[in-house]
């Protein structure tokens, strides 16, 4: 057992409102400078949709991640041989047009143009060339399913669905979508690290944050290809690659990363997980259908005496072990088994987990006549004349899951390597919590029924209350359990983030000057 | 004539080598952030192929070709003792030279006709393009007109270069060579001198150690087992990364 600690995250997709506040918070702190304008270390996509960069999930195009070939797990588009020979020209590098050409508007024209008969306009100009451009695409061009024929219809996850199933998804009345916020997953088997010929990328032992050393990166661009999530970006101005740093300077100071701190929907949770590094190798070699389970098996129980002892042997601080015991991530991922990794088939062992969304699925399950019930309600109570309601009866509930508006298959292709049962399991749990809470607050569901539902979903009443608490009520300290970084022992940086805004990193401070 | 010869064939090489050594070491150790290949593939990824690939493979083989002739002049002469082998060597080298020239011209045309590349192009790039094109052109010219280069390089130039490195410069043989060869020599030293001042520096950091390093890299800011040992002194430790 080689126990290490990892700061990892859970995003509760039911709660994301797609406001992009997270993206802006990140942009303001880290990527608001030349060469990085197009980068969104944190971005939010509408699903179904092609995402950012376009179709990033399709590894036949981008050749990212690992693949299992004759029992061996190898980098798909990079690696030692390809990395060193394709160094002059990387055939699998996404180019700026796969993201979008960054632009701004000539706002000054609005103020400074001379008096005339027509209103002045602010023309869009490219942030690369400075010349006027016609904007063709942006990082959220397909927000809320806009431009569906071009974007949502081309979602790589739809490949697993039949024609008919796809049609059903896009029928106007049934159309549904959800948001997928993405940051770097700070993987346990990071393809970006493995692909970097200069060895500039590394994983920090203490907290698992994956970083690119800006002084060692030489613009060989292999990480951009290798990361299957396309979360390593090439800065065209400085000639260095950059990626999400999980706001490590903030973490070290005990603050939540900016995207998480600012999250309006409070969908984000962050905490420590203890895992067994010795199991990584076996896990990535598992077959596709065992991958998710094996991935979750790496994570260890922080209350287990044996685990605590081994963790201490490995130099993990008591405070970190303590934080692991209170980790909301541990609860979601292991205790309640509600969260899944995104695209585990890329085999990088991502450490960002998602609670698959239930809402778009259940919104109009059944038409009922509510008017009699409504009349009985307290006249002060706000009631809806809405006859579309969640179906709360167990039999029909579990029965309708298969015919949900959002095909199980689609979500399974994203979160469980195609295993529909896994998604169903999460949905049942999410629904059971709602039914359980409805019994408690509205009281129109019999205890018998509610208990049966909980049992079906494999939850106890305490668990359901716990899930409810962490989902709906949790305060800041519950959502972010950040272990002290013990900088008194290892000072990586003692910089204040504000001082270094717009600079190229931490640890060394110099003006961003491109090499010649 | 002698002063000129002395300047270009003795002073220039020493200046160039000194600049190269001191400049490269300084830039690598003190200005690591500015050591990069500054790839522009991200902004233009199609035409680059027809420039970068022929150029780099050409320059790769020719560089090691020259290096071999310098390091093992006897070996090259022995190889050349059979006309067939000599022809193979000369023709291959010539083909790589042409590939390099084509690549360079493509790269240069690409850089100056793609609007997006303008913001990532500087004056030094132009100087390097012109210098490399001239150098390649003269190389091909010499190979074609003064045969067989691989043989007389080993007998005339290798000793001259050795004399430079032994700090006993001896230009008697080279000063008699045709002007085209002298220009090629001067060009070579100019390029060497410009390495630390241009993007050429990236060839020094070709990531060979990728071959033997493990794929994954984990770095610890502290000796993780030692930190808990009771006898470890309590001290602040500077991190090794960054
Ligand atoms: S998500 Fe991509 S960039 Fe982040 S650690 Fe994993 S492979 Fe690397
Ligand atoms: S800030 Fe939160 S709710 Fe808003 S888009 Fe980002 S993740 Fe979703």
């Amino acid at each position: 057992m080689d126990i290490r600690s990892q700061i990892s995250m859970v995003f509760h997709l039911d709660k994301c409102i797609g406001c992009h506040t997270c993206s802006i918070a990140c942009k303001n702190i880290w990527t608001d400078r030349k060469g990085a304008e197009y980068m969104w270390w944190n971005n939010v996509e509408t699903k179904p949709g092609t995402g950012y960069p376009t179709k990033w999930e399709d590894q036949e195009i981008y050749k990212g991640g690992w693949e299992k070939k004759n029992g061996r797990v190898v980098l798909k588009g990079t690696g030692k041989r390809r990395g060193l020979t394709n160094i002059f020209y990387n055939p699998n590098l996404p180019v700026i047009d796969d993201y979008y050409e960054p632009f701004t508007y000539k706002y000054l024209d609005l103020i400074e143009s001379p008096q005339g008969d027509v209103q002045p306009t602010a023309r869009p100009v490219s942030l690369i060339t400075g010349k006027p451009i016609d904007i063709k695409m942006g990082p959220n061009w397909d927000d809320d399913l806009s431009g569906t024929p071009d974007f949502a219809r081309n979602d790589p996850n739809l490949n697993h669905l039949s024609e008919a199933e796809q049609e059903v998804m896009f029928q106007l009345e049934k159309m549904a979508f959800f948001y997928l916020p993405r940051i770097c997953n700070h993987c346990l088997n990071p393809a970006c690290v493995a692909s970097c010929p200069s060895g500039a990328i590394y994983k920090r032992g203490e907290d698992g944050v994956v970083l690119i050393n800006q002084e060692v990166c030489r613009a060989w661009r292999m990480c951009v290809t290798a990361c299957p999530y396309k979360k390593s970006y090439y800065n065209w101005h400085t000639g260095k690659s950059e990626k999400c740093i999980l706001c490590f300077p903030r973490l070290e100071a005990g603050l939540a990363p900016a995207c998480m701190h600012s999250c309006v929907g409070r969908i984000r949770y962050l905490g420590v997980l203890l895992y067994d590094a010795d199991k990584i190798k076996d896990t990535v070699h598992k077959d596709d259908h065992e991958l998710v389970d094996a991935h979750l098996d790496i994570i260890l129980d922080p209350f287990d005496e044996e685990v605590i002892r081994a963790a201490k042997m490995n130099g993990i601080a008591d405070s970190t072990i303590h934080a692991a015991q209170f980790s909301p991530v541990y609860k979601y991922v292991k205790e309640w088994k509600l969260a899944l990794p995104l695209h585990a088939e890329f085999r990088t062992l991502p450490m960002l987990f998602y609670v698959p969304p239930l809402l778009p699925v259940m919104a109009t399950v059944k038409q009922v006549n509510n008017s009699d019930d409504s009349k009985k309600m307290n006249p002060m109570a706000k009631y809806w004349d809405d006859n579309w309601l969640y179906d709360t009866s167990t039999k029909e509930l579990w029965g309708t899951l298969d015919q949900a508006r959002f095909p199980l298959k689609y979500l399974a292709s994203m979160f469980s390597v195609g295993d529909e049962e896994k998604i169903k399991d999460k949905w049942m749990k999410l629904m059971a919590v709602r039914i359980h809470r409805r019994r408690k607050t509205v009281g129109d569901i019999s205890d018998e029924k509610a208990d049966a539902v909980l049992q079906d979903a494999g939850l106890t009443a305490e668990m359901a209350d716990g899930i409810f608490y962490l989902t709906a009520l949790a305060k800041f300290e519950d959502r972010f359990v950040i272990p002290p970084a013990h900088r008194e022992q290892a000072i990586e940086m003692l910089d204040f983030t504000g001082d270094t805004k717009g600079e190229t990193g931490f640890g060394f401070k110099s003006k961003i000057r491109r090499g010649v | 004539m002698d002063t000129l010869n002395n300047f270009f064939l003795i002073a220039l090489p020493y200046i160039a080598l000194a600049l190269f050594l001191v400049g490269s070491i300084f830039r690598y150790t003190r200005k690591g952030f500015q050591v990069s290949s500054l790839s522009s593939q991200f902004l233009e990824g199609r035409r680059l192929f027809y420039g970068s690939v022929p150029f780099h493979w050409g320059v790769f083989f020719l560089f090691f070709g020259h290096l071999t002739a310098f390091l093992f002049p006897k070996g090259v002469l022995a190889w050349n003792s059979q006309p067939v082998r000599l022809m193979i060597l000369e023709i291959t080298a010539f083909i790589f030279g042409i590939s390099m020239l084509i690549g360079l011209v493509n790269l240069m045309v690409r850089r100056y006709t793609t609007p997006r590349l303008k913001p990532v192009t500087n004056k030094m790039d132009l100087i390097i393009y012109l210098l490399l094109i001239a150098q390649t052109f003269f190389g091909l010219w010499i190979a074609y007109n003064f045969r067989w280069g691989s043989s007389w390089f080993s007998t005339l130039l290798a000793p001259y270069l050795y004399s430079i490195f032994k700090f006993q410069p001896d230009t008697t043989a080279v000063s008699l060579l045709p002007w085209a060869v002298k220009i090629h020599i001067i060009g070579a030293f100019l390029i060497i001198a410009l390495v630390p001042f241009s993007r050429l520096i990236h060839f020094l950091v070709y990531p060979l150690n990728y071959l033997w390093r493990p794929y994954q890299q984990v770095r610890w800011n502290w000796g993780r087992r030692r930190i808990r040992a009771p006898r470890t002194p309590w001290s602040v430790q500077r991190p090794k990364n960054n």
Side-chain angles (χ1 to χ4, degrees), chain A residues 400-421:
Chain A
T400 45
L401 274 183
D402 292 320
Q403 309 139 23
R405 307 211 287 173
F406 223 94
L408 269 171
K409 235 189 214 169
Y410 180 84
L411 283 168
S413 135
M414 288 177 70
F415 297 111
S416 62
V417 201
D419 182 354
E420 294 172 33
E421 287 307 311

mmCIF file of all heavy atoms in Angstrom, chain A residues 400-421:
data_model
loop_
_atom_site.group_PDB
_atom_site.id
_atom_site.type_symbol
_atom_site.label_atom_id
_atom_site.label_comp_id
_atom_site.label_asym_id
_atom_site.label_seq_id
_atom_site.Cartn_x
_atom_site.Cartn_y
_atom_site.Cartn_z
ATOM 1 N N THR A 400 -40.410 4.037 -15.413
ATOM 2 C CA THR A 400 -40.239 5.066 -16.442
ATOM 3 C C THR A 400 -38.783 5.445 -16.675
ATOM 4 O O THR A 400 -38.482 6.131 -17.630
ATOM 5 C CB THR A 400 -41.008 6.343 -16.057
ATOM 6 O OG1 THR A 400 -40.748 6.598 -14.676
ATOM 7 C CG2 THR A 400 -42.479 6.178 -16.303
ATOM 8 N N LEU A 401 -37.920 5.018 -15.790
ATOM 9 C CA LEU A 401 -36.524 5.397 -15.974
ATOM 10 C C LEU A 401 -36.017 5.014 -17.353
ATOM 11 O O LEU A 401 -35.260 5.737 -17.978
ATOM 12 C CB LEU A 401 -35.646 4.725 -14.922
ATOM 13 C CG LEU A 401 -35.522 5.453 -13.592
ATOM 14 C CD1 LEU A 401 -34.575 4.721 -12.694
ATOM 15 C CD2 LEU A 401 -35.042 6.881 -13.814
ATOM 16 N N ASP A 402 -36.467 3.852 -17.809
ATOM 17 C CA ASP A 402 -35.979 3.386 -19.101
ATOM 18 C C ASP A 402 -36.472 4.240 -20.247
ATOM 19 O O ASP A 402 -35.837 4.324 -21.282
ATOM 20 C CB ASP A 402 -36.393 1.936 -19.317
ATOM 21 C CG ASP A 402 -35.654 1.027 -18.352
ATOM 22 O OD1 ASP A 402 -34.457 1.289 -18.140
ATOM 23 O OD2 ASP A 402 -36.286 0.110 -17.809
ATOM 24 N N GLN A 403 -37.663 4.849 -20.027
ATOM 25 C CA GLN A 403 -38.182 5.683 -21.117
ATOM 26 C C GLN A 403 -37.937 7.153 -20.829
ATOM 27 O O GLN A 403 -38.641 8.012 -21.346
ATOM 28 C CB GLN A 403 -39.681 5.451 -21.287
ATOM 29 C CG GLN A 403 -40.062 4.005 -21.396
ATOM 30 C CD GLN A 403 -41.329 3.731 -20.607
ATOM 31 O OE1 GLN A 403 -42.121 4.633 -20.349
ATOM 32 N NE2 GLN A 403 -41.518 2.480 -20.217
ATOM 33 N N ALA A 404 -36.963 7.451 -20.001
ATOM 34 C CA ALA A 404 -36.726 8.831 -19.606
ATOM 35 C C ALA A 404 -36.485 9.710 -20.821
ATOM 36 O O ALA A 404 -36.048 9.243 -21.857
ATOM 37 C CB ALA A 404 -35.529 8.894 -18.679
ATOM 38 N N ARG A 405 -36.796 11.013 -20.634
ATOM 39 C CA ARG A 405 -36.602 11.943 -21.743
ATOM 40 C C ARG A 405 -35.167 11.984 -22.191
ATOM 41 O O ARG A 405 -34.857 12.266 -23.327
ATOM 42 C CB ARG A 405 -36.910 13.376 -21.306
ATOM 43 C CG ARG A 405 -38.175 13.634 -20.698
ATOM 44 C CD ARG A 405 -38.579 15.026 -21.031
ATOM 45 N NE ARG A 405 -37.810 16.034 -20.316
ATOM 46 C CZ ARG A 405 -37.927 17.316 -20.577
ATOM 47 N NH1 ARG A 405 -38.715 17.707 -21.541
ATOM 48 N NH2 ARG A 405 -37.229 18.185 -19.897
ATOM 49 N N PHE A 406 -34.309 11.789 -21.230
ATOM 50 C CA PHE A 406 -32.905 11.826 -21.574
ATOM 51 C C PHE A 406 -32.409 10.397 -21.589
ATOM 52 O O PHE A 406 -32.344 9.774 -20.554
ATOM 53 C CB PHE A 406 -32.150 12.626 -20.521
ATOM 54 C CG PHE A 406 -31.177 13.538 -21.139
ATOM 55 C CD1 PHE A 406 -31.527 14.841 -21.416
ATOM 56 C CD2 PHE A 406 -29.925 13.083 -21.489
ATOM 57 C CE1 PHE A 406 -30.623 15.682 -22.024
ATOM 58 C CE2 PHE A 406 -29.037 13.925 -22.097
ATOM 59 C CZ PHE A 406 -29.376 15.234 -22.367
ATOM 60 N N PRO A 407 -32.099 9.869 -22.739
ATOM 61 C CA PRO A 407 -31.777 8.442 -22.794
ATOM 62 C C PRO A 407 -30.653 8.076 -21.829
ATOM 63 O O PRO A 407 -29.643 8.749 -21.769
ATOM 64 C CB PRO A 407 -31.340 8.232 -24.231
ATOM 65 C CG PRO A 407 -31.774 9.432 -24.971
ATOM 66 C CD PRO A 407 -31.949 10.542 -24.007
ATOM 67 N N LEU A 408 -30.881 7.015 -21.096
ATOM 68 C CA LEU A 408 -29.859 6.464 -20.213
ATOM 69 C C LEU A 408 -28.553 6.263 -20.958
ATOM 70 O O LEU A 408 -27.474 6.516 -20.450
ATOM 71 C CB LEU A 408 -30.314 5.094 -19.721
ATOM 72 C CG LEU A 408 -31.110 5.014 -18.432
ATOM 73 C CD1 LEU A 408 -31.617 3.607 -18.271
ATOM 74 C CD2 LEU A 408 -30.213 5.385 -17.267
ATOM 75 N N LYS A 409 -28.703 5.790 -22.179
ATOM 76 C CA LYS A 409 -27.535 5.452 -22.981
ATOM 77 C C LYS A 409 -26.626 6.657 -23.152
ATOM 78 O O LYS A 409 -25.406 6.538 -23.150
ATOM 79 C CB LYS A 409 -28.019 5.013 -24.355
ATOM 80 C CG LYS A 409 -27.538 3.658 -24.767
ATOM 81 C CD LYS A 409 -27.887 3.430 -26.212
ATOM 82 C CE LYS A 409 -28.205 1.970 -26.428
ATOM 83 N NZ LYS A 409 -28.804 1.751 -27.742
ATOM 84 N N TYR A 410 -27.256 7.814 -23.330
ATOM 85 C CA TYR A 410 -26.466 9.018 -23.549
ATOM 86 C C TYR A 410 -25.613 9.325 -22.324
ATOM 87 O O TYR A 410 -24.396 9.534 -22.425
ATOM 88 C CB TYR A 410 -27.400 10.193 -23.854
ATOM 89 C CG TYR A 410 -26.661 11.476 -24.101
ATOM 90 C CD1 TYR A 410 -26.149 11.762 -25.361
ATOM 91 C CD2 TYR A 410 -26.438 12.382 -23.074
ATOM 92 C CE1 TYR A 410 -25.448 12.924 -25.581
ATOM 93 C CE2 TYR A 410 -25.731 13.545 -23.281
ATOM 94 C CZ TYR A 410 -25.242 13.816 -24.535
ATOM 95 O OH TYR A 410 -24.537 14.966 -24.749
ATOM 96 N N LEU A 411 -26.241 9.312 -21.157
ATOM 97 C CA LEU A 411 -25.484 9.606 -19.936
ATOM 98 C C LEU A 411 -24.469 8.512 -19.663
ATOM 99 O O LEU A 411 -23.361 8.779 -19.191
ATOM 100 C CB LEU A 411 -26.435 9.756 -18.757
ATOM 101 C CG LEU A 411 -27.161 11.091 -18.754
ATOM 102 C CD1 LEU A 411 -28.285 11.083 -17.761
ATOM 103 C CD2 LEU A 411 -26.190 12.211 -18.428
ATOM 104 N N ALA A 412 -24.854 7.285 -19.973
ATOM 105 C CA ALA A 412 -23.932 6.179 -19.738
ATOM 106 C C ALA A 412 -22.683 6.342 -20.588
ATOM 107 O O ALA A 412 -21.579 6.014 -20.157
ATOM 108 C CB ALA A 412 -24.615 4.855 -20.041
ATOM 109 N N SER A 413 -22.862 6.880 -21.775
ATOM 110 C CA SER A 413 -21.691 7.056 -22.633
ATOM 111 C C SER A 413 -20.752 8.108 -22.057
ATOM 112 O O SER A 413 -19.540 8.073 -22.302
ATOM 113 C CB SER A 413 -22.154 7.415 -24.040
ATOM 114 O OG SER A 413 -21.407 8.473 -24.558
ATOM 115 N N MET A 414 -21.289 9.021 -21.263
ATOM 116 C CA MET A 414 -20.414 10.027 -20.666
ATOM 117 C C MET A 414 -19.817 9.585 -19.338
ATOM 118 O O MET A 414 -18.644 9.806 -19.070
ATOM 119 C CB MET A 414 -21.186 11.330 -20.426
ATOM 120 C CG MET A 414 -21.502 12.082 -21.693
ATOM 121 S SD MET A 414 -22.474 13.540 -21.364
ATOM 122 C CE MET A 414 -21.297 14.569 -20.541
ATOM 123 N N PHE A 415 -20.644 8.977 -18.497
ATOM 124 C CA PHE A 415 -20.195 8.786 -17.121
ATOM 125 C C PHE A 415 -19.897 7.351 -16.711
ATOM 126 O O PHE A 415 -19.348 7.132 -15.638
ATOM 127 C CB PHE A 415 -21.245 9.354 -16.150
ATOM 128 C CG PHE A 415 -21.438 10.833 -16.301
ATOM 129 C CD1 PHE A 415 -22.599 11.351 -16.815
ATOM 130 C CD2 PHE A 415 -20.419 11.704 -15.945
ATOM 131 C CE1 PHE A 415 -22.772 12.713 -16.968
ATOM 132 C CE2 PHE A 415 -20.576 13.066 -16.095
ATOM 133 C CZ PHE A 415 -21.757 13.572 -16.603
ATOM 134 N N SER A 416 -20.293 6.369 -17.490
ATOM 135 C CA SER A 416 -20.060 5.016 -16.985
ATOM 136 C C SER A 416 -19.594 4.048 -18.065
ATOM 137 O O SER A 416 -19.845 2.858 -17.991
ATOM 138 C CB SER A 416 -21.326 4.499 -16.314
ATOM 139 O OG SER A 416 -22.357 4.426 -17.273
ATOM 140 N N VAL A 417 -18.878 4.565 -19.055
ATOM 141 C CA VAL A 417 -18.369 3.731 -20.146
ATOM 142 C C VAL A 417 -19.489 2.841 -20.687
ATOM 143 O O VAL A 417 -19.293 1.660 -20.948
ATOM 144 C CB VAL A 417 -17.161 2.881 -19.701
ATOM 145 C CG1 VAL A 417 -16.341 2.446 -20.904
ATOM 146 C CG2 VAL A 417 -16.266 3.670 -18.759
ATOM 147 N N GLY A 418 -20.686 3.389 -20.825
ATOM 148 C CA GLY A 418 -21.764 2.664 -21.481
ATOM 149 C C GLY A 418 -22.616 1.789 -20.574
ATOM 150 O O GLY A 418 -23.562 1.168 -21.034
ATOM 151 N N ASP A 419 -22.281 1.728 -19.299
ATOM 152 C CA ASP A 419 -23.041 0.864 -18.397
ATOM 153 C C ASP A 419 -24.299 1.592 -17.898
ATOM 154 O O ASP A 419 -24.235 2.425 -17.006
ATOM 155 C CB ASP A 419 -22.139 0.455 -17.218
ATOM 156 C CG ASP A 419 -22.846 -0.487 -16.274
ATOM 157 O OD1 ASP A 419 -24.056 -0.728 -16.470
ATOM 158 O OD2 ASP A 419 -22.179 -0.987 -15.350
ATOM 159 N N GLU A 420 -25.448 1.242 -18.477
ATOM 160 C CA GLU A 420 -26.673 1.966 -18.131
ATOM 161 C C GLU A 420 -27.118 1.706 -16.704
ATOM 162 O O GLU A 420 -27.735 2.565 -16.071
ATOM 163 C CB GLU A 420 -27.792 1.595 -19.105
ATOM 164 C CG GLU A 420 -27.487 2.083 -20.507
ATOM 165 C CD GLU A 420 -28.467 1.574 -21.541
ATOM 166 O OE1 GLU A 420 -29.640 1.405 -21.195
ATOM 167 O OE2 GLU A 420 -28.047 1.353 -22.684
ATOM 168 N N GLU A 421 -26.815 0.517 -16.190
ATOM 169 C CA GLU A 421 -27.245 0.193 -14.827
ATOM 170 C C GLU A 421 -26.678 1.182 -13.825
ATOM 171 O O GLU A 421 -27.340 1.563 -12.867
ATOM 172 C CB GLU A 421 -26.796 -1.232 -14.450
ATOM 173 C CG GLU A 421 -27.582 -2.318 -15.147
ATOM 174 C CD GLU A 421 -29.093 -2.144 -14.942
ATOM 175 O OE1 GLU A 421 -29.509 -1.952 -13.782
ATOM 176 O OE2 GLU A 421 -29.834 -2.163 -15.952
#
